[in-house]
Amino acid sequence: MAAVKKHTYLGVLIALIVIGCWTALLVYLLYTYQLDFSSPLTYIFFLLQTHLYTGLFITAHDAMHGVVAPGKPTLNKTIGTVAAFLFAYNWYPRLLPRHHQHHHFVATDKDPDYHGGSFVAWYFSFLKQYITWWQIVLMAITFNVLKLYFPLENVVMFWMVPAILATFQLFYFGTYLPHKGEHAKDNKHRSGTLAKNHVWAFVSCYFFGYHFEHHDKPYIPWWQLYKTKS
């Protein structure tokens, strides 16, 4: 029982760190930071905020597998819902069945994440599956509200564009690369995987480039997924 509680609280702590870092950095970048395109720090902050946006979705994703707060379904769902909502107003109850459909029917016609066409066609198919009109409306309203209180350049650079790039990052490393092309008949998860490089795996997509490993052990949270890599 003690081990379960420790695992539960550690997962919650890591989720709250990701959400807290995203929130704190965004507030600082919008409210305090003087944008200077000649400064390397601007681009470091931009990339970090993009990475934290990706972390929001990864946190929501882990909640879909019940591993943010194992044994605490209400807490797990609450954290997943908050993380998804902060990432461009994604709605957790809508994402949940689609993601499990992906796991059950990976790389088939019933897989909402899969598309057999070109890279561009696949990307737009992915966007159509996960972006709704009401999200676009809410993002537009939020953008217009934020620019009333913060510099427009900061809103674009640190709130809007990182969300777009994080969506592409999630698609490229978490969907396209692992599932494109043909897979061997004995590949039961029809998924590829990155070569073992924990630094790159974390930076690129919170270890979800180790995608075969994730499909093989979906009960492993992102921060322990590297341990499954042989």
Side-chain angles (χ1 to χ4, degrees):
M1 181 66 69
V4 172
K5 288 184 177 179
K6 181 179 178 181
H7 183 72
T8 296
Y9 295 135
L10 183 56
V12 171
L13 177 62
I14 290 173
L16 293 179
I17 287 173
V18 172
I19 294 171
C21 286
W22 177 87
T23 303
L25 184 59
L26 181 61
V27 170
Y28 169 72
L29 293 172
L30 292 182
Y31 187 75
T32 303
Y33 185 69
Q34 299 295 315
L35 187 61
D36 178 4
F37 287 106
S38 66
S39 170
L41 193 58
T42 292
Y43 302 98
I44 292 172
F45 279 142
F46 170 75
L47 292 174
L48 180 57
Q49 190 64 6
T50 301
H51 187 65
L52 288 169
Y53 255 112
T54 302
L56 290 178
F57 195 89
I58 294 298
T59 299
H61 166 272
D62 268 11
M64 295 175 207
H65 289 287
V67 298
V68 167
K72 303 286 185 180
T74 300
L75 179 60
N76 183 83
K77 181 180 178 180
T78 299
I79 293 175
T81 301
V82 171
F85 198 71
L86 290 174
F87 190 107
Y89 298 109
N90 279 282
W91 187 233
Y92 181 85
R94 181 176 182 272
L95 297 175
L96 181 61
R98 289 169 181 262
H99 185 65
H100 283 284
Q101 188 175 353
H102 163 66
H103 273 265
H104 289 314
F105 302 105
V106 60
T108 69
D109 291 341
K110 295 182 180 180
D111 180 355
D113 291 2
Y114 183 73
H115 191 279
S118 67
F119 173 84
V120 174
W122 193 339
Y123 183 52
F124 279 103
S125 173
F126 180 83
L127 293 179
K128 286 190 337 188
Q129 287 290 337
Y130 289 100
I131 296 179
T132 63
W133 283 109
W134 69 266
Q135 283 178 262
I136 295 173
V137 170
L138 286 174
M139 289 290 284
I141 293 172
T142 305
F143 174 78
N144 282 283
V145 171
L146 288 175
K147 73 178 186 178
L148 294 176
Y149 298 96
F150 306 108
L152 176 60
E153 294 83 0
N154 291 51
V155 174
V156 172
M157 186 73 174
F158 300 122
W159 179 76
M160 186 175 74
V161 177
I164 296 171
L165 288 183
T167 301
F168 182 82
Q169 183 179 1
L170 287 160
F171 166 73
Y172 186 74
F173 290 103
T175 298
Y176 177 74
L177 275 186
H179 294 302
K180 69 181 179 71
E182 296 291 328
H183 297 285
K185 291 182 179 180
D186 60 350
N187 184 332
K188 60 182 178 179
H189 301 301
R190 303 182 71 175
S191 304
T193 187
L194 287 177
K196 187 175 181 179
N197 184 325
H198 295 334
V199 173
W200 175 240
F202 171 70
V203 170
S204 61
C205 201
Y206 291 76
F207 302 116
F208 273 91
Y210 296 158
H211 208 75
F212 180 92
E213 290 77 7
H214 166 60
H215 275 266
D216 198 49
K217 296 178 174 65
Y219 51 85
I220 301 293
W222 73 261
W223 44 274
Q224 291 188 328
L225 192 55
Y226 74 93
K227 295 178 181 179
T228 68
K229 187 68 177 178
S230 59

